[in-house]
Amino acid sequence: DSGVTQTPKHLITATGQRVTLRCSPRSGDLSVYWYQQSLDQGLQFLIQYYNGEERAKGNILERFSAQQFPDLHSELNLSSLELGDSALYFCASSAPGAYNEQFFGPGTRLTVL
Amino acid sequence: AQSVTQLGSHVSVSEGALVLLRCNYSSSVPPYLFWYVQYPNQGLQLLLKYTTGATLVKGINGFEAEFKKSETSFHLTKPSAHMSDAAEYFCAVSVNSGYSTLTFGKGTMLLVSP
């Protein structure tokens, strides 16, 4: 158990819908990262937040957005869902000054039908 | 910017054989290097890391890796494979920068046969 929690574990929805994935980092960690993992694209970095502020952006679509709240939990919002958005979405967290060593949550499996 | 290349998307070994998973990195500044393991339907778990100091690092489950600056490599090894080692392994690199993130390789699936 890494200490990073993600909900829900599974999510099934239809094309065109909007979903929200939630992540709680390890106690004391200020950075939260979101990743998408799919068979064809592999593990892709989406976005990073540090203490409530966006720190880095990766291959995140404009239909996707994220935020980190004052209590440091984070949400990833996916809208206008397409079949190709079906994937595993991971959240990770890291402590300040920890060489970017990241601890991963168990993931949310999103299925878009 | 940094990058990681993992040679071989799949590696097959017999139980008890040496495991060698290859990772080469590219970085313009001294890197921090990591190996993660992912079991089916689970998140990534840190196996080991190199930050500074000793270039041979030992991790969990009997794995170790050696940082070789001259070869820009960080290969993962284990003397004797166990069936439970079957998983996907990811090499990752970051640098000492406040805005640096982890860059992952594409992963290598380790298959262990009896």
Side-chain angles (χ1 to χ4, degrees):
Chain A
D1 184 353
S2 66
V4 178
T5 60
Q6 289 187 249
T7 56
K9 192 172 177 65
H10 300 278
L11 200 48
I12 301 174
T13 188
T15 54
Q17 295 298 306
R18 172 189 171 94
V19 297
T20 297
L21 313 183
R22 183 187 169 101
C23 167
S24 293
R26 294 186 319 155
S27 177
D29 287 359
L30 299 182
S31 281
V32 169
Y33 310 78
W34 285 98
Y35 293 85
Q36 180 194 60
Q37 186 178 41
S38 60
L39 281 175
D40 53 343
Q41 300 286 341
L43 188 64
Q44 288 205 93
F45 166 68
L46 296 178
I47 197 164
Q48 177 200 359
Y49 278 81
Y50 178 84
N51 203 20
E53 294 190 3
E54 183 183 303
R55 177 62 67 90
K57 248 182 178 177
N59 298 321
I60 188 166
L61 299 172
E62 284 191 13
R63 299 183 286 109
F64 297 179
S65 65
Q67 54 185 334
Q68 186 178 26
F69 294 87
D71 67 351
L72 300 177
H73 91 270
S74 177
E75 293 181 356
L76 178 67
N77 300 296
L78 315 177
S79 62
S80 303
L81 285 168
E82 303 175 359
L83 296 178
D85 297 328
S86 295
L88 261 174
Y89 290 84
F90 289 109
C91 167
S93 71
S94 69
Y99 310 106
N100 291 311
E101 177 181 344
Q102 296 178 23
F103 294 85
F104 281 73
T108 293
R109 181 170 292 281
L110 173 66
T111 303
V112 183
L113 302 175
Chain B
Q2 56 268 22
S3 65
V4 172
T5 301
Q6 290 183 242
L7 291 176
S9 58
H10 292 78
V11 169
S12 295
V13 300
S14 299
E15 193 172 21
L18 170 72
V19 175
L20 171 61
L21 304 183
R22 299 178 186 273
C23 172
N24 289 88
Y25 70 90
S26 170
S27 175
S28 58
V29 297
Y32 303 137
L33 295 159
F34 306 82
W35 276 100
Y36 284 83
V37 60
Q38 184 181 26
Y39 298 100
N41 297 312
Q42 293 187 29
L44 278 70
Q45 179 185 5
L46 182 67
L47 266 181
L48 49 79
K49 66 185 180 199
Y50 167 79
T51 54
T52 58
T55 57
L56 181 64
V57 293
K58 296 186 185 299
I60 61 172
N61 301 337
F63 284 94
E64 63 182 38
E66 186 171 10
F67 169 59
K68 291 188 176 181
K69 184 178 177 181
S70 61
E71 299 178 8
T72 62
S73 69
F74 190 58
H75 302 330
L76 182 71
T77 60
K78 182 174 180 178
S80 177
H82 192 271
M83 296 294 290
S84 61
D85 294 327
E88 189 157 23
Y89 292 80
F90 292 90
C91 182
V93 63
S94 75
V95 297
N96 185 17
S97 162
Y99 293 88
S100 175
T101 60
L102 276 181
T103 300
F104 284 88
K106 292 188 180 300
T108 297
M109 184 68 71
L110 177 65
L111 307 169
V112 184
S113 57

